[in-house]
Amino acid sequence: MLSDIEIAQQAKMLKITEVASKLGISEDDIEMYGRYKAKLSMDLIRSLEAKQAGKLILVTAITPTPAGEGKSTTTVGLAQGLAKLDKKVIVALREPSLGPCMGIKGGAAGGGYSQVVPMEDINLHFTGDFHAITSAHMLLSAMLDNHIQQGNVLNIDPRRIVWKRVVDMNDRELRNIVVGLGGKAHGVPRQDGFDITVASEVMAILCLATDLHDLKERLSKIIVAYDYSGKPVTAGQLKAHGAMAALLKDAVKPNLVQTLENVPAIIHGGPFANIAHGCNSVMATKTAMKLADYTITEAGFGADLGAEKFFDIKCRYAGLKPDAVVLVATVRALKMHGGVPKTELAVPNVAAVKKGIVNLEKHIENVKKFGVPLVVAINIFAQDTPEELEAVREHCAKHGVNVALSDVFARGGEGGIELAQEVIALAEGGTAAFHPLYASELSLKEKIETIAREIYGADGVNYSKDADKALKEFEEMGYGALPVCMAKTQYSFSDDPALLGRPSGFKITIKNCRIAAGAGFVVVLTGDIMTMPGLPKVPAAEKIDVSDAGVISGLF
C-alpha cells in the first residue's frame, strides 16, 4: 500500500471555491490561501447565527496504546461514509502541531484513504494560525518583562511570574532557562522556560472564543504573575490584550479544506488534551453545524480525557448538545490492555481481547453518564480474527451498544458506510439527553473528586499542600465556579501510566493546580505533565525532505 503522503499527493482535489460552493458559500465569503485552502469570513459566520444547527457527532477512543487506535482516521472516514449516503456533512478537526510532526507523529491529518488535504500544508505551516498564536503569546511575555524593566508600576514579584514563553517545536533545552542576563540594560535576571505553542493559554482561549470581542475579553483576563501582596496581575493590566487580539484577527477565523473524497473539512485550533481541553475551536464546530446536516468532530486522547473535557468544558461554554458518540477501539489495543506485548499483537488471542475489553467497557459506561448514545467503531486490521471481533460484539451487546466495523484506512468512505449507518440511526433516534457530569456550583474539590470517582474509577483523591493551597486561593479569588481541566497521563484511567485495562483500588494524587482565567478553567495537575516535549532518539524530521521540484516526502 502507498504511504499516507503518497496517497495524499495523488488526490484529485477540488479548488477550494468548489468545496465552499458545496456548502452554499460564495467566493466573497472566503479568504483564499492558494487554490486549496481558505478561511471563512467573520461576515459569513455572523450571517449563520439564526440558522438551525445540524447534528453533532463526537469521535473519541479507548485509552491510547502504542498499538494505535486511529481516531482521526475514523473521524475523516466516517464523514466520507456519510457523504456516500448522500448526507451533507463536514468534518471538524484540530490543526496539527509542528513539534510532534517533527518528533514522533510525522503528521496528523488522518491516514490511508481517510485523510484531509492538502496534507503537507496542514501538517506544516497551514494558514499560519499557530505562528500567530506564538507571536501573540510572546508579545505578552515581552511586555511583562519590559514592564518590570521600566519601573514595575504594578509591583510584580519576579519570583511569582507564571507566564512562560512558547515555540511550536519540541525542544527540551528550552524547558528551563534564565533570562535577563548581560547587565542592567538587558533586563531583570530570572528563571523562565518555554512551553510548546499548543500548551499556551492563548491557544485554549482562541478555541473557546465565540468571536473577536470575546477573544479580546478572554485575553485580558490571563493571569501572568502575582504582585508582592499576592494579587494576580493580568494581561489587561499590562494593556497587552488589544495588540494580542490584533495579531490573532485572522487566526480566529476557521480554515476550510477537504478530505481525499472532497468532503468539506474545517480545521481550526489545537490545544493540548492534557493541560487544556483538546478540541478544535468553538467557532469552527458551531459554524460547521450551521453549514451541514452532520458535523463530525473529535477530542484528544481517550474518552476519559478528551471526551470528558469536550462535554464538561467545550459543550458547557458553547451550549453544544452532541447527538451521538463514536468510541473507537482496535482488537490490537484491547490485547495490549489484556497484557499482550506489542511484538505479539498479530497472534490471535481471544482470551486477551476478553481480558482487555474491560477498558472499553469503562469508557462505554463513562459516555453513558453524559446522556449521549454511542456506537463502538472497531478500526479493523488484516490480522483480526472473526472470533476476536465477535468477542467484542458480544461484550458490547451486554451493555446495549452496537459495534460497527470500520475499514476507512484502506477503503476510505466505502469502508465507513456501516459505521455511518449506525451513527445516522443514533443521531436521528432522538435519544440524546446531554448533560455535563457536574454542576458549576460545586466546589473545585467536589468537581475533581466527581471526575476521579465517576470517570477514572478512583477510590478517592489525595492533595499535596501546594494543590490544597492553590484551590483555596482560586476560590477566594472568585474562580470556584469554573470547570476543572484534569492534566493526567493519557495511558491509564489512573495517574500511573503502567496501569492498563481498568485499574481499581487506586487514588488520584493532585500535585498542584493553576488557573487559566482567560480560557475559563482550573488546570489540575496529577503528575509531571510535560508541556514542552523533547525529540525522540530518531526524530521523524530525519525522514522528511523536499525535492528540487518542491515535493515533500517523509510525512506520514
Side-chain angles (χ1 to χ4, degrees):
M1 186 173 172
L2 299 174
S3 68
D4 287 355
I5 194 168
E6 289 171 334
I7 293 170
Q9 288 171 343
Q10 292 181 11
K12 294 180 180 179
M13 289 187 284
L14 298 178
K15 289 183 180 179
I16 200 63
T17 50
E18 296 177 70
V19 177
S21 180
K22 281 187 173 186
L23 300 171
I25 301 173
S26 72
E27 192 170 336
D28 291 338
D29 284 323
I30 60 174
E31 300 166 10
M32 288 182 284
Y33 284 63
R35 294 180 181 178
Y36 306 112
K37 300 174 292 182
K39 281 191 169 290
L40 302 177
S41 73
M42 296 301 291
D43 286 341
L44 170 68
I45 292 170
R46 283 190 286 267
S47 74
L48 297 171
E49 287 178 2
K51 191 175 180 182
Q52 185 174 348
K55 305 291 186 183
L56 178 61
I57 314 300
L58 173 69
V59 179
T60 185
I62 62 171
T63 304
T65 70
E69 286 66 55
K71 184 176 55 185
S72 296
T73 302
T74 303
T75 305
V76 176
L78 169 59
Q80 294 183 153
L82 285 163
K84 284 192 174 294
L85 296 175
D86 297 321
K87 298 297 182 182
K88 190 177 183 182
V89 59
I90 294 177
V91 59
L93 299 171
R94 294 178 292 168
E95 298 178 49
S97 167
L98 274 176
C101 284
M102 297 295 169
I104 293 177
K105 285 187 175 181
Y113 289 91
S114 292
Q115 299 183 58
V116 282
V117 286
M119 180 260 222
E120 306 98 304
D121 293 9
I122 293 166
N123 277 311
L124 299 179
H125 300 291
F126 201 18
T127 56
D129 293 345
F130 282 22
H131 299 309
I133 291 165
T134 301
S135 295
H137 183 114
M138 292 297 281
L139 172 64
L140 181 53
S141 295
M143 291 182 71
L144 169 61
D145 281 315
N146 184 64
H147 181 90
I148 296 171
Q149 172 76 355
Q150 302 292 351
N152 198 7
V153 174
L154 292 173
N155 209 27
I156 295 168
D157 184 348
R159 300 164 301 179
R160 296 201 65 191
I161 291 174
V162 295
W163 188 252
K164 288 186 175 183
R165 288 165 158 79
V166 298
V167 63
D168 193 30
M169 192 57 61
N170 291 7
D171 192 346
R172 67 172 57 83
E173 301 296 322
L174 294 177
R175 289 173 187 164
N176 298 286
I177 62 172
V178 177
V179 297
L181 298 180
K184 187 176 180 180
H186 301 288
V188 177
R190 65 177 181 87
Q191 285 184 303
D192 200 358
F194 275 76
D195 291 333
I196 193 166
T197 296
V198 290
S200 169
E201 187 178 348
V202 177
M203 175 70 82
I205 286 171
L206 181 131
C207 288
L208 287 170
T210 54
D211 53 31
L212 200 53
H213 177 78
D214 185 39
L215 175 79
K216 189 158 57 175
E217 288 293 306
R218 287 175 177 272
L219 291 171
S220 73
K221 296 175 183 176
I222 294 173
I223 295 174
V224 296
Y226 294 85
D227 65 18
Y228 282 106
S229 65
K231 294 180 180 178
V233 178
T234 66
Q237 289 174 280
L238 290 170
K239 300 178 182 177
H241 57 296
M244 292 171 72
L247 288 172
L248 297 169
K249 75 176 183 65
D250 291 319
V252 77
K253 302 169 187 173
N255 306 296
L256 179 66
V257 286
Q258 63 193 292
T259 75
L260 289 174
E261 297 178 9
N262 312 124
V263 173
I266 295 180
I267 301 182
H268 194 219
F272 249 25
N274 254 326
I275 56 98
H277 58 295
C279 310
N280 71 327
S281 76
V282 165
M283 288 179 64
T285 301
K286 295 183 84 168
T287 301
M289 291 175 68
K290 296 297 179 73
L291 290 169
D293 297 328
Y294 282 84
T295 294
I296 315 301
T297 192
E298 67 168 349
F301 296 141
D304 57 319
L305 284 172
E308 185 273 316
K309 294 174 184 180
F310 176 86
F311 293 141
D312 281 325
I313 298 176
K314 181 174 179 176
C315 291
R316 187 188 301 265
Y317 278 124
L320 299 173
K321 294 183 178 180
D323 296 280
V325 169
V326 175
L327 182 57
V328 180
T330 64
V331 167
R332 292 160 53 87
L334 293 176
K335 287 180 186 176
M336 286 203 80
H337 282 293
V340 175
K342 189 177 179 180
T343 54
E344 298 177 20
L345 294 177
V347 179
N349 193 331
V350 176
V353 172
K354 290 182 176 179
K355 184 179 178 183
I357 210 167
V358 293
N359 184 269
L360 173 61
E361 178 182 65
K362 176 59 175 162
H363 286 295
I364 290 172
E365 293 173 8
N366 287 347
V367 170
K368 287 184 174 182
K369 290 176 181 178
F370 293 93
V372 186
L374 75 151
V375 58
V376 170
I378 299 296
N379 185 17
I380 61 173
F381 288 76
Q383 64 265 36
D384 297 346
T385 68
E387 293 78 13
E388 290 171 328
L389 294 169
E390 186 57 31
V392 180
R393 285 189 189 277
E394 287 181 3
H395 195 87
C396 291
K398 294 176 183 177
H399 293 269
V401 174
N402 288 345
V403 171
L405 300 185
S406 173
D407 195 15
V408 298
F409 182 91
R411 298 172 57 213
E414 196 68 35
I417 289 178
E418 180 185 341
L419 177 58
Q421 290 170 332
E422 290 285 349
V423 165
I424 291 169
L426 287 177
E428 301 295 339
T431 60
F434 169 74
H435 54 82
L437 184 69
Y438 54 80
S440 299
E441 296 74 32
L442 294 181
S443 69
L444 294 175
K445 279 192 174 181
E446 286 174 323
K447 293 168 186 171
I448 292 167
E449 287 157 16
T450 298
I451 294 171
R453 182 180 64 253
E454 297 292 332
I455 302 301
Y456 307 154
D459 290 342
V461 178
N462 295 319
Y463 299 89
S464 71
K465 288 183 179 179
D466 288 339
D468 202 55
K469 180 183 176 185
L471 291 170
K472 288 178 182 176
E473 287 179 349
F474 296 157
E475 291 190 334
E476 289 170 0
M477 290 161 61
Y479 296 117
L482 295 183
V484 294
C485 181
M486 301 293 286
K488 178 185 71 68
T489 177
Q490 65 267 35
Y491 298 115
S492 174
F493 280 115
S494 73
D495 51 12
D496 180 356
L499 297 180
L500 302 184
R502 183 176 183 168
S504 60
F506 66 91
K507 290 188 175 183
I508 295 288
T509 298
I510 309 302
K511 291 194 172 183
N512 211 335
C513 302
R514 59 186 193 227
I515 187 75
F521 50 72
V522 174
V523 182
V524 180
L525 303 162
T526 66
D528 298 321
I529 304 299
M530 194 59 65
T531 52
M532 170 51 81
L535 293 172
K537 189 171 183 179
V538 182
E542 291 187 11
K543 300 174 184 177
I544 297 172
D545 202 355
V546 59
S547 71
D548 293 344
V551 178
I552 292 173
S553 60
L555 285 171
F556 57 89

